[in-house]
Every structure is written in C-alpha cells, then in structure tokens.
Amino acid sequence: MKKSFSKLTQSVHTGSWGDVQFKGTVTPIFPSSAYDYEDVPETLYPRYFNTPNQKAVVEKICALENGEDGLIMSSGMAAILTSLMAMLRKGDHAIFQNELYGGTYHAIVNELPRYGMDYTMVEGSDPKNFEQAIRPETKVIYIETPSNPTLKIIDIKAISAIAKKHGIITIIDNTFASPVNQNPIDFGIDIVAHSGTKYIGGHSDICCGVVVSSKELIQSIWSSAIHFGGSLDAHTCWLVERSLKTIVLRVRQQNLNALTIAQYLKTDGRISRVYYPGLPDHPDHAIAKARMTGGFGGMMSFEVKGNADLFMNRLKLIKRAISLGGVESTVTSPVKTSHSKMTAEERLIVGVTDNLVRFSVGIEETQDLIDDIKQALE
Ligand code: PLP
C-alpha cells in the first residue's frame, strides 16, 4: 500500500487482503494454534505474535500511527506493561507524569518496586519537570496526553527532545487521542501504546491493546512479550481489523460532535466548567492544535452546577458506562470510577470534583446529543 495514501484510504486497505481460494473481498480468519514447522520461513504460533490475522491488524495500525512495526495484544494494560518491562531492568529508573489512567498508575506503584525498578511522578504540563527528574539510571519517560479526565495536554515534541538529549526511551499512551488525531512518532516519541478497547475497537465490544514503534524496539518488546504471553486470538484480531476500517470516519464524527457540544456547554449557565482541548480558552489549546493534527478528539469533561448523578440518571440517549471510545456516547463519574481510590484531597489536586462528568462522545447526530443533555439539565 502506498504510504502517500490518506489515512482514510489506508484504514480501509492497508494490511487487509482478500481470500485467495474463493476470491472473497475480506481477510479470512485463520484460527489455527498449531502450524507446521518444517519447510516454512517462520514457525507460526499465536503467542509469537506472527499469525496472519495478528499481522493484518498490526500492518493497518502501523500505517495509521506512522510506525515501522507493532504488536497486537490482549489488552491495553498488556501493551503498556509489556513495553515498560521490556525497556526497564533491575536498578533502572523511570519518569511518569502524575495524571495517568488509574490502571497504569496502580500497575506502576504496585509492580515496578517488586522488580527493583524506581520511579518518579512529575506534574506533566511543564517539560522542565521531566528534565529535572532525570537521573543517571533513568531509562524511560512515560506520558499520556490528553490526560484523563481533565484533558491536559503535554508537549510531546518537547518531551521527546529532552529524552533524546539524555538517551532515554519515550513511551506514550495515545488512547484518548486515537491514531487519527495524534501521531506521536512524527514528533520523535519512540513507543506508542493504545488501549485498543477504546477507539481502535470502537464499538464497546472488544478488549485489546497495541504497541507501535521502530522495528528494533518492537523486537525488544517482542522478546519480553512472548514470555508475558499477552497475545490476541485470531477471531478478535479479525474484528479489530474490521473496526479499524471505519476508525477515521468514526473519529472525525466524534471530533465534530465533541467540539460542537463543548461550544454549546460553554454557553449553558447550568454548567460551571468545560474541559476540552479544542476550545480556545483551554489552557493547552495552542499546544493541542500543534500536536493533535487530526482533531481534538471525542473525550471531554464538564462540571454540572447541580448533582452530577441526578444529571446522568436523567440522560435518555447517552449511557452511563466506565469505558470510552465507542460509537455510542457514554458518561462516567470519575469520582466513582477511575479516581475512586484517591482521597478527596488527592482528587482535588488533579481537578476531579464530585460534580465532574467525563463524556465519551459517540457518532450520533450532534443535535440529538445536545437535546439529551438539555433535557437532563432541566
Ligand atoms: N489507557 C487508558 C487511557 C485507558 O483509559 C485504559 C482503560 O480504560 C487503559 C489504558 C487500559 O486499557 P485496557 O482496559 O484495554 O487494558
């Protein structure tokens, strides 16, 4: 597939191939977990991440992320933790931004020290905070932007420049942006991870993860991945490949819906605060505009002046759900879900108030979503 084709065309065609036997249009499913090992260029096995459906989905995601190679895994956490563990050794140090997906935060705090790995968490909005935390044994800088749930933006280009100066590997969780809106490899980031459960799957029915990087770094991650074993089966890979064919269309509509709804929410007196990087008064709007080249994404948060639970209960079209990135619009209370283990004081530091609503905007008609919010606020 020509690299010059647009993302829309690549999302449909790259990695996908027709059925050779019956000349069908779509990639067949190859469910074998047992393959011949004689007279073959490579022994295939699902946990070696090299079966046909795994390769098809990886080729497509690499085209969308501008990466050389990748791995499709059984969850976002498998992709994140396998990448981290592959890059770190006993005695190494890693730097993380302090606003992270809760699962990642708990994995770092609970797992890294058990393997003799040290870490520092820094406030992410100023790249200098990362540089100041660097030690001789620092091997990894890890970021997540836009962040959950207050949509803070980190300057990925500045972070990658600092890391390169010190010979440190950078890893980003690009889940919230999706490969349609932000391509960190273009700005010098080494490893891009996604919870594919979100925009890549896109229909709230698949759990998977991906990691995309250079051939060399993927080889290193692969060497650990075959031990940790977080591979994905052929049937689910085939569904992910199918989902990716519409990711550009889906995310474009989500970008449009989110921006229009954020603009509306700013004008409604019953809303006290809106967090969306596409709004000109978002503190990181300029940097978001420069780095999120495809759009500002489908995730936003807002504070209602009344009771957030009451508001969410009254929504008719928009569903309450803990995940995000699906075609259907969903809302979550971060206080009750992602940030429930924090103390009230810790939550306030990261801007998570009791009346904060996190909104994953779907692909529905924009006005229908606005009407649903209006009737729930009344
Ligand atoms: N990263 C982010 C930003 C997430 O929101 C999530 C899940 O909610 C993950 C990573 C973990 O992904 P998974 O649940 O697919 O393991």
Side-chain angles (χ1 to χ4, degrees):
M1 193 87 221
K2 272 200 289 183
K3 279 221 176 338
S4 58
F5 280 128
S6 74
K7 277 193 186 183
L8 193 52
T9 306
Q10 300 257 22
S11 67
V12 177
H13 295 287
T14 305
S16 298
W17 43 281
D19 156 15
V20 178
Q21 195 176 1
F22 298 107
K23 302 196 187 302
T25 307
V26 305
T27 314
I29 303 175
F30 294 91
S32 293
S33 58
Y35 286 86
D36 194 356
Y37 54 90
E38 292 284 10
D39 302 321
V40 287
E42 181 186 8
T43 307
L44 306 188
Y45 187 59
R47 190 173 42 77
Y48 295 168
F49 298 84
N50 60 358
T51 57
N53 294 101
Q54 290 171 326
K55 283 187 172 172
V57 74
V58 163
E59 218 182 298
K60 207 182 275 301
I61 194 84
C62 285
L64 296 174
E65 272 296 9
N66 300 330
E68 282 177 9
D69 204 355
L71 297 167
I72 173 90
M73 303 225 184
S74 53
S75 70
M77 287 314 299
I80 290 166
L81 257 274
T82 306
S83 304
L84 269 173
M85 293 312 239
M87 293 299 123
L88 294 170
R89 305 276 175 280
K90 188 176 171 191
D92 285 348
H93 170 252
I95 305 170
F96 297 88
Q97 87 189 57
N98 60 3
E99 279 177 62
L100 289 174
Y101 163 63
T104 308
Y105 172 83
H106 293 296
I108 294 161
V109 171
N110 290 301
E111 301 296 336
L112 296 199
R114 297 176 59 214
Y115 296 91
M117 299 157 183
D118 200 4
Y119 63 85
T120 306
M121 302 232 175
V122 299
E123 203 285 307
S125 51
D126 187 351
K128 279 199 223 86
N129 294 341
F130 289 88
E131 189 149 36
Q132 279 161 7
I134 294 174
R135 302 181 196 163
E137 64 275 21
T138 305
K139 294 287 164 15
V140 165
I141 292 180
Y142 181 104
I143 55 173
E144 183 182 314
T145 176
S147 73
N148 178 20
T150 55
L151 287 299
K152 259 198 192 160
I153 305 294
I154 294 201
D155 186 351
I156 49 182
K157 195 172 170 188
I159 300 294
S160 84
I162 290 168
K164 281 195 189 336
K165 195 165 86 184
H166 295 272
I168 295 168
I169 295 284
T170 41
I171 306 180
I172 187 171
D173 180 338
N174 204 30
T175 302
F176 264 40
S178 91
V180 179
N181 289 329
Q182 180 169 268
N183 294 128
I185 290 173
D186 293 353
F187 295 103
I189 296 290
D190 297 303
I191 299 169
V192 178
H194 282 272
S195 166
T197 316
K198 318 300 189 233
Y199 289 99
I200 287 172
H203 296 72
S204 310
D205 55 8
I206 291 173
C207 184
C208 69
V210 297
V211 51
V212 178
S213 185
S214 62
K215 279 201 180 306
E216 194 188 339
L217 284 174
I218 288 297
Q219 184 59 38
S220 305
I221 298 169
W222 178 84
S223 303
S224 291
I226 57 168
H227 299 147
F228 291 124
S231 53
L232 194 68
D233 69 282
H235 293 88
T236 316
C237 283
W238 183 85
L239 280 174
V240 178
E241 187 205 322
R242 195 174 81 155
S243 290
L244 281 170
K245 290 183 183 179
T246 56
I247 191 172
V248 179
L249 285 180
R250 286 187 275 113
V251 171
R252 278 184 187 169
Q253 177 69 10
Q254 282 160 325
N255 289 344
L256 174 75
N257 278 353
L259 181 60
T260 315
I261 294 168
Q263 284 162 345
Y264 148 68
L265 289 171
K266 288 291 283 187
T267 64
D268 194 313
R270 295 163 295 186
I271 302 295
S272 49
R273 197 157 184 177
V274 185
Y275 297 93
Y276 186 65
L279 292 175
D281 66 352
H282 183 286
D284 307 321
H285 176 67
I287 198 72
K289 208 168 162 187
R291 307 289 177 251
M292 300 182 77
T293 50
F296 298 104
M299 294 304 300
M300 72 168 73
S301 293
F302 56 90
E303 279 173 13
V304 292
K305 279 189 181 157
N307 181 315
D309 280 326
L310 208 57
F311 164 74
M312 286 190 270
N313 287 342
R314 285 184 180 158
L315 290 166
K316 290 186 176 138
L317 184 62
I318 303 166
K319 294 185 173 69
R320 197 171 38 213
I322 59 160
S323 197
L324 60 105
V327 289
E328 55 288 286
S329 291
T330 57
V331 283
T332 305
S333 159
V335 171
K336 290 194 168 175
T337 58
S338 54
H339 293 66
S340 62
K341 288 186 188 152
M342 285 183 170
T343 63
E345 291 75 35
E346 283 172 333
R347 278 200 291 265
L348 274 185
I349 293 170
V350 290
V352 176
T353 55
D354 288 347
N355 51 349
L356 187 72
V357 176
R358 193 190 72 185
F359 188 11
S360 168
V361 184
I363 65 165
E364 301 93 336
E365 189 64 48
T366 325
Q367 195 55 48
D368 291 339
L369 295 172
I370 292 175
D371 289 346
D372 195 30
I373 294 169
K374 278 186 180 163
Q375 67 78 27
L377 285 169
E378 263 151 28

